[in-house]
């Protein structure tokens, strides 16, 4: 089985890379490690080989200053809440989760990893082939 990343995820990662070419990528990732493989995770390939999650390092500038990931996550969250962006299933960042199930309201995340060093983005299955540009101003959109 060929493992492939959701096109919605590929596009979002490319926009991060294009907007912040010198960003830290230490905490970036998309394929689950052994800890992920032991449980249900969008980082694990499904039966058709699709992976529907990416992690993007919080440090968008070398040296972490300024820390704008909270603002960028909020722009994406607001687009999802307004339904102008429908490909993202949920976002985990800085101890909070924002999900389509709860209209992207801020809720405390109770998982083992609070995602303080990176933002986690999970995507809907129907977004596997949807690689359109994200219209988020901090990532080059309108």
């Amino acid at each position: 089985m060929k493992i492939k990343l959701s096109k919605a995820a590929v596009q979002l990662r490319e926009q991060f890379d294009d907007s912040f070419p010198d960003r830290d990528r230490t905490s970036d990732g998309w394929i689950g490690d052994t800890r992920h493989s032991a449980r249900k995770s969008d980082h694990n390939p499904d039966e058709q080989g699709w992976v529907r999650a990416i992690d993007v390092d919080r440090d968008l500038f070398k040296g972490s200053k300024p820390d704008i990931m909270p603002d960028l996550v909020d722009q994406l969250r607001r687009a999802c809440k307004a339904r102008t962006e429908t490909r993202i299933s949920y976002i985990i960042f800085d101890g909070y989760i924002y999900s389509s199930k709860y209209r992207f309201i801020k809720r405390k995340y109770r998982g083992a990893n609070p995602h303080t060093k990176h933002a986690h983005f999970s995507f809907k299955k129907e977004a596997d082939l949807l690689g359109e540009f994200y219209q988020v101003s901090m990532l080059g959109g309108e």
Side-chain angles (χ1 to χ4, degrees):
M1 164 182 41
K2 181 180 178 192
I3 297 173
K4 49 205 174 276
L5 182 59
S6 160
K7 291 190 178 193
V10 169
Q11 181 61 41
L12 185 60
R13 183 181 60 193
E14 286 179 359
Q15 283 181 242
F16 269 101
D17 289 345
D18 290 347
S19 297
F20 305 98
D22 297 324
R23 68 185 186 82
D24 190 342
R25 290 170 173 77
T26 303
S27 297
D28 281 15
W30 64 281
I31 296 179
D33 58 16
T34 52
R35 288 178 299 137
H36 285 91
S37 64
R39 66 184 192 281
K40 183 178 178 345
S41 170
D42 289 334
H43 286 292
N44 297 329
D46 72 4
E47 310 78 45
Q48 289 81 39
W50 287 104
V51 173
R52 297 186 183 96
I54 59 170
D55 294 332
V56 178
D57 196 289
R58 180 181 192 137
D59 185 4
L60 299 176
F61 298 100
K62 291 288 185 194
S64 303
K65 300 291 181 198
D67 180 13
I68 63 168
M69 185 62 92
D71 298 321
L72 207 156
V73 164
D74 193 56
Q75 276 194 359
L76 281 162
R77 180 201 62 81
R78 284 184 285 133
C80 293
K81 185 176 176 81
R83 297 194 176 132
T84 57
E85 176 50 58
T86 60
R87 296 170 285 180
I88 295 174
S89 175
Y90 62 91
I91 302 167
I92 305 171
F93 178 65
D94 220 8
Y96 294 94
I97 184 168
Y98 314 87
S99 69
S100 57
K101 184 175 180 179
Y102 294 100
R103 300 214 42 209
F104 288 94
I105 61 167
K106 184 177 188 176
R107 295 180 301 123
K108 188 78 175 152
Y109 180 64
R110 308 217 183 273
N113 180 345
H115 296 77
T116 56
K117 296 187 184 319
H118 66 270
H120 170 93
F121 301 94
S122 278
F123 302 86
K124 298 175 182 175
K125 182 176 183 171
E126 54 267 26
D128 286 348
L129 300 176
L130 301 177
E132 294 85 3
F133 198 85
Y134 285 84
Q135 295 301 326
V136 175
S137 62
M138 291 178 76
L139 294 175
E142 297 175 1

